[in-house]
Amino acid sequence: MVEALAILAAGFWAGMINVVVGSGTLVTFPTLLLFGYPPLVANVSNNIGLVGGGITGTFGYRREISGHRRELRGLLPASLLGGVTGAVLLLALPADAFRMIVPVLIAVGLGMVVWGPALQRRAARGRDATTDHGRLSTLTRPRLGAVLVGVYLLGIYGGYFGAAQGVLIVGLMSVLTSEGLQSITGLKNLLTTAVNAIAAVTFLLISAESVDWTVVLLIAAGATAGGVVGARFGRRLPPVLMRTLIVVVGVAAILRMLIFD
């Protein structure tokens, strides 16, 4: 009972923090390891369980997402393809082959989150203030291509392990676009949910024996409720506080991964 309650609580916390910031996996995954679940089983079951929280969180940010339907025709396929690639790599490669560079990726993402606004302001000095240049809908082809490639690569990362995938997506879009942070957060929620969902399907098709359904149900129940709370809470946060939370959670994620490695 204690174990079940702890996993349920971890799922709720992860679902809430994934919607607002990201890095929910750094709550649930170590919790499962502490209770003795094998790393592969913990990773796969955690990935499937967090899909519910992503769905409720994405629904909560539907207003921010609705203005980017055309851009999502490119972003979603890139995320889905990356998610499948990452899931296959997880099942085919040694577990430490990719995770060893995760702290570096998170650190890069935090740097982009911190310096993104300054870079946006510097780029804006040379633009007409009356235009929307820098929005996703008006990006030049080279910059849009860079966004798509980045989303695909982060999809691979998300399908493989996924900790702080949301932080990295926010960092990427903060540097390459002039979208507002709430808009980026909505897109982040949709893209990370798509990656988790397609990776979950891949796991079920290729390695169903790696799924612990009790863990999946507990995390799913907690994360789904956490996603609802996170969406309502996150929408009220000012950009400065959002970025502060991202940095705090990102640094905590790096420390947690270094400790568990």
Side-chain angles (χ1 to χ4, degrees):
M1 181 61 68
V2 172
E3 178 179 323
L5 290 175
I7 295 174
L8 182 67
F12 178 82
W13 186 11
M16 182 171 63
I17 204 170
N18 269 342
V19 174
V20 180
V21 181
S23 300
T25 290
L26 269 299
V27 178
T28 47
F29 183 70
T31 299
L32 295 176
L33 293 183
L34 286 174
F35 283 112
Y37 290 92
L40 180 62
V41 173
N43 197 8
V44 170
S45 303
N46 172 67
N47 179 288
I48 299 173
L50 288 177
V51 172
I55 293 173
T56 54
T58 299
F59 181 78
Y61 273 82
R62 61 192 180 281
R63 185 171 59 193
E64 286 78 5
I65 297 171
S66 62
H68 296 286
R69 293 178 181 176
R70 185 168 65 87
E71 293 80 17
L72 286 171
R73 295 174 187 172
L75 294 173
L76 267 178
S79 282
L80 292 171
L81 183 59
V84 172
T85 305
V88 171
L89 287 175
L90 174 64
L91 299 175
L93 298 177
D96 292 336
F98 196 75
R99 281 175 52 196
M100 61 187 300
I101 67 169
V102 169
V104 176
L105 290 175
I106 297 174
V108 170
L110 294 179
M112 290 191 291
V113 169
V114 171
W115 295 106
L119 294 174
Q120 290 175 2
R121 288 193 297 270
R122 181 175 298 179
R125 291 171 188 164
R127 299 196 298 253
D128 183 354
T130 62
T131 70
D132 286 331
H133 184 67
R135 297 281 182 174
L136 276 170
S137 58
T138 60
L139 289 181
T140 61
R141 287 189 176 182
R143 182 162 290 197
L144 179 59
V147 172
L148 291 175
V149 171
V151 167
Y152 168 69
L153 293 176
L154 294 179
I156 296 176
Y157 169 61
Y160 191 97
F161 186 54
Q165 179 193 181
V167 173
L168 295 172
I169 290 178
V170 170
L172 175 74
M173 291 193 177
S174 293
V175 169
L176 296 180
T177 79
S178 62
E179 293 290 338
L181 188 59
Q182 290 291 353
S183 179
I184 291 176
T185 299
L187 291 170
K188 175 264 295 181
N189 289 335
L190 178 58
L191 296 178
T192 55
T193 300
V195 169
N196 280 354
I198 196 67
V201 172
T202 304
F203 294 144
L204 291 175
L205 291 176
I206 299 179
S207 186
E209 68 277 4
S210 299
V211 180
D212 187 308
W213 285 107
T214 300
V215 170
V216 170
L217 292 175
L218 288 170
I219 291 180
T224 300
V228 174
V229 175
R232 292 180 179 176
F233 178 67
R235 294 172 65 87
R236 299 184 177 94
L237 294 179
V240 173
L241 183 55
M242 286 280 284
R243 294 184 190 279
T244 301
L245 284 174
I246 290 171
V247 172
V248 170
V249 173
V251 171
I254 293 174
L255 295 176
R256 178 68 67 85
M257 292 199 68
L258 291 177
I259 291 173
F260 273 88
D261 285 344

